[in-house]
Amino acid sequence: MPQAAGEVTMTGKQILIVEDEKPIRDMIAFGLRRAGFSVREAEDCGEARSCIADSRPDLLLVDWMLPDQSGLELTRFLKRNKETQDLPVIMLTARADEHDKVAGLEGGADDYVTKPFSPRELLARVQAVLRRASPNAADGTMEAGALKLDAVSHRVTSGEQTVPLGPTEYRLLQFFMEHPERVYGRGQLLDRVWGGNVYVEERTVDVHIRRLRKALEPFGCDSLIQTVRGSGYRFSTRPE
Ligand code: CA
């Protein structure tokens, strides 16, 4: 699908809708899929938690009124948990009360949409929150030092040259470029890059980090992947 200028590249971004009312869920899912998102659906908080454990979404849409727990409780739970605290959450609610809006935002929601909303309005909010969550990826390309990653073509270049990367190294680099200057432990990288439900040993991370560095070395970019002793790895354009 051709992309309008200034539009955020959403292809492949995964959104989890947590809403017990099927007609609303279907309506939201339809609009988001049409916009190029990959969409998963959960009917309640319990199902949402197992969905997140299976594979981490890029953003959650959480209805306030859910059968097992409130959406606010789910949001608080996610924001308290180290592994999920930076997962963007937009709360959906029928309540227009300012008091509830404040409670939602204090509970950790990144934004708040009041029902009824138009699919267009929701899409704009989703794009804005995703843009804030990874400002580097706003137009689908990210740059760091001499490296340029194009998420649309899945191509990494340095100057005119293509940096040859395997699929895992590509995903690892993309994750790092989206989250620069932060240290991630091996477990966190497994969770975020490989997906939570995959059984992979932690040292597999080291293997792929080595491959990634080796691929970047001819371009003088291997020092972007830094080892932080006792903690994990960091992507940084600053010297170690
Ligand atoms: Ca509901």
Side-chain angles (χ1 to χ4, degrees):
M1 209 171 18
Q3 232 186 324
E7 215 171 89
V8 182
T9 304
M10 294 305 169
T11 318
K13 291 268 183 195
Q14 193 186 88
I15 298 184
L16 177 62
I17 306 170
V18 192
E19 162 69 276
D20 56 320
E21 286 158 85
K22 194 172 181 317
I24 299 179
R25 213 168 61 225
D26 287 348
M27 187 265 285
I28 298 172
F30 177 78
L32 292 174
R33 287 199 177 105
R34 205 174 44 179
F37 291 101
S38 124
V39 176
R40 286 190 306 156
E41 302 172 33
E43 286 183 7
D44 54 40
C45 298
E47 200 185 344
R49 288 179 202 215
S50 53
C51 274
I52 295 165
D54 269 355
S55 145
R56 186 190 163 91
D58 295 292
L59 182 141
L60 265 87
L61 293 173
V62 179
D63 186 37
W64 187 297
M65 300 289 281
L66 292 164
D68 51 351
Q69 274 187 308
S70 77
L72 184 60
E73 283 172 285
L74 174 66
T75 303
R76 284 201 179 116
F77 167 80
L78 295 171
K79 297 293 175 176
R80 268 200 311 265
N81 187 328
K82 205 173 124 216
E83 301 300 326
T84 51
Q85 64 187 191
D86 56 356
L87 235 176
V89 175
I90 297 178
M91 287 211 65
L92 311 174
T93 178
R95 314 174 184 206
D97 281 3
E98 193 59 25
H99 173 78
D100 289 330
K101 179 173 177 171
V102 171
L105 296 174
E106 280 180 350
D110 297 84
D111 203 356
Y112 187 94
V113 180
T114 306
K115 293 176 184 174
F117 48 80
S118 70
R120 199 187 167 87
E121 179 190 356
L122 183 67
L123 186 61
R125 299 291 192 93
V126 164
Q127 289 179 325
V129 168
L130 281 173
R131 239 188 324 258
R132 282 210 304 269
S134 48
N136 289 347
D139 67 349
T141 64
M142 298 183 282
E143 284 181 53
L147 283 186
K148 188 168 175 180
L149 183 144
D150 185 331
V152 178
S153 65
H154 274 223
R155 190 188 291 273
V156 177
T157 50
S158 171
E160 299 292 298
Q161 287 176 290
T162 297
V163 180
L165 292 176
T168 305
E169 286 70 50
Y170 172 82
R171 285 207 310 276
L172 198 50
L173 181 64
Q174 182 177 30
F175 175 76
F176 275 134
M177 288 178 83
E178 280 174 351
H179 304 88
E181 307 296 341
R182 289 181 63 164
V183 179
Y184 289 94
R186 290 167 180 80
Q188 286 176 304
L189 288 171
L190 277 181
D191 200 38
R192 305 285 293 268
V193 179
W194 276 259
N197 216 18
V198 185
Y199 182 73
V200 187
E201 285 182 72
E202 293 205 344
R203 63 172 178 211
T204 304
V205 174
D206 302 324
V207 171
H208 288 279
I209 290 274
R210 261 200 308 278
R211 284 189 198 156
L212 178 57
R213 280 188 178 137
K214 207 169 167 197
L216 297 177
E217 203 179 352
F219 307 91
C221 295
D222 50 313
S223 60
L224 293 171
I225 314 288
Q226 304 175 353
T227 303
V228 182
R229 276 186 70 180
S231 303
Y233 297 101
R234 169 181 59 213
F235 183 86
S236 176
T237 49
R238 295 183 222 150
E240 286 183 61

